[in-house]
Amino acid sequence: AVHNSGVDRSEVFLETKIWISDYGYDKTLHGFEKSARKLGVDQIDLLILHQALPSEFEATLEAYRALETLLADGKVRAIGVSNFMVDHLTTLLDRASVVPAVNQIEVHPYFAQKQVQALNVEHGILTQAWSPIGGITFYRDGQHSSTLQDPVIGGIAKAHDKTPAQVMLRWHLQQGRSVIPKSTKPQRIAENIDVFDFELSTEELAAIDVLDTGQRGGPEPESITLESFGRAIPED
């Protein structure tokens, strides 16, 4: 898509991740080479570790050291992490030479991870929200539900003549987060971009804030092991 678009490479921001199976200094350097080759580029704009590997955290730290080398060599423009909780991030910061530019975590109205966000802010790390509109179905109030059907979010959307998804994306942006919504439908992609012509009030932001359930939709970061989540990343 990048090569066929006709858009100049400098106008496209490419971000990708190193999977836990490629953790360790040399393996992570090779992981970059695999990604760059598949993308057909010499430089990646942002390269992050997909998550902490608590059972082998030394390998996680060595993987991040490899990212620092890639940054110093100009092969990446920025480095970061994903799904790092407070203890993971604290340990990394004690050892790292470069503070991560980004910590990409699950954040949406039903799961805010405020402690992680606060630590990110303290160290100048940008919080990047995956599943920013709560694409995972949640068990809430005795039934399975979705942020897209939440009456509070729906009411705010109606007041602004916007969709619930647009309201949630605006909530993130006004609170200083980067968001990476996902869709395969052109209409939804266009909708997700169309969030810069309205503003939520302080009261509306607060009303969304209190929807937090503290319930994670994705896997528990402490449960990540090579045995359960490891898989070989192909060369081509």
Side-chain angles (χ1 to χ4, degrees):
V2 171
H3 294 289
N4 293 337
S5 68
V7 177
D8 190 83
R9 171 68 182 90
S10 65
E11 297 297 317
V12 180
F13 192 92
L14 289 177
E15 173 183 356
T16 190
K17 301 178 180 181
I18 298 291
W19 188 248
I20 56 173
S21 303
D22 283 342
Y23 281 9
Y25 185 78
D26 291 333
K27 290 173 70 176
T28 296
L29 292 178
H30 184 61
F32 162 80
E33 297 294 341
K34 287 191 286 187
S35 287
R37 184 168 61 249
K38 291 174 185 177
L39 290 167
V41 298
D42 296 321
Q43 186 186 61
I44 291 172
D45 297 296
L46 174 62
L47 185 61
I48 66 179
L49 301 183
H50 194 281
Q51 57 218 11
L53 186 56
S55 60
E56 300 183 42
F57 201 71
E58 193 62 33
T60 306
L61 295 172
E62 284 297 288
Y64 191 80
R65 187 167 70 88
L67 297 191
E68 293 178 324
T69 296
L70 292 166
L71 180 67
D73 291 345
K75 294 185 176 181
V76 298
R77 295 177 58 211
I79 60 176
V81 295
S82 181
N83 300 307
F84 269 51
M85 300 297 97
V86 169
D87 54 341
H88 306 141
L89 199 54
T90 300
T91 302
L92 177 69
L93 290 169
D94 286 341
R95 291 273 296 272
S97 300
V98 178
V99 175
V102 164
N103 185 12
Q104 184 190 109
I105 58 175
E106 180 185 347
V107 181
H108 46 76
Y110 285 177
F111 191 61
Q113 301 210 73
K114 292 178 182 177
Q115 286 185 316
V116 181
Q117 287 200 63
L119 186 62
N120 290 344
V121 170
E122 180 183 341
H123 292 280
I125 301 168
L126 177 67
T127 297
Q128 186 173 69
W130 66 259
S131 190
I133 59 176
I136 304 166
T137 299
F138 292 86
Y139 190 77
R140 179 180 172 84
D141 299 331
Q143 60 183 352
H144 287 284
S145 60
S146 165
T147 52
L148 292 167
Q149 276 80 52
D150 189 277
V152 172
I153 296 170
I156 295 171
K158 186 175 181 180
H160 290 275
D161 195 25
K162 290 290 183 177
T163 67
Q166 288 172 319
V167 164
M168 285 184 272
L169 294 174
R170 186 69 200 175
W171 169 72
H172 285 289
L173 293 172
Q174 283 186 225
Q175 293 185 336
R177 290 182 290 278
S178 168
V179 292
I180 46 173
K182 175 184 176 181
S183 180
T184 60
K185 297 179 174 62
Q187 180 181 348
R188 295 271 178 82
I189 294 170
E191 176 187 312
N192 289 341
I193 295 170
D194 185 24
V195 293
F196 298 100
D197 60 349
F198 75 108
E199 187 168 317
L200 302 177
S201 68
T202 301
E203 292 75 20
E204 288 170 332
L205 293 172
I208 298 173
D209 285 341
V210 299
L211 298 176
D212 185 13
T213 66
Q215 182 177 342
R216 186 184 303 278
E220 288 290 340
E222 291 304 318
S223 72
I224 303 300
T225 65
L226 283 172
E227 291 73 24
S228 57
F229 288 91
R231 60 185 179 89
I233 305 302
E235 293 290 326
D236 300 308

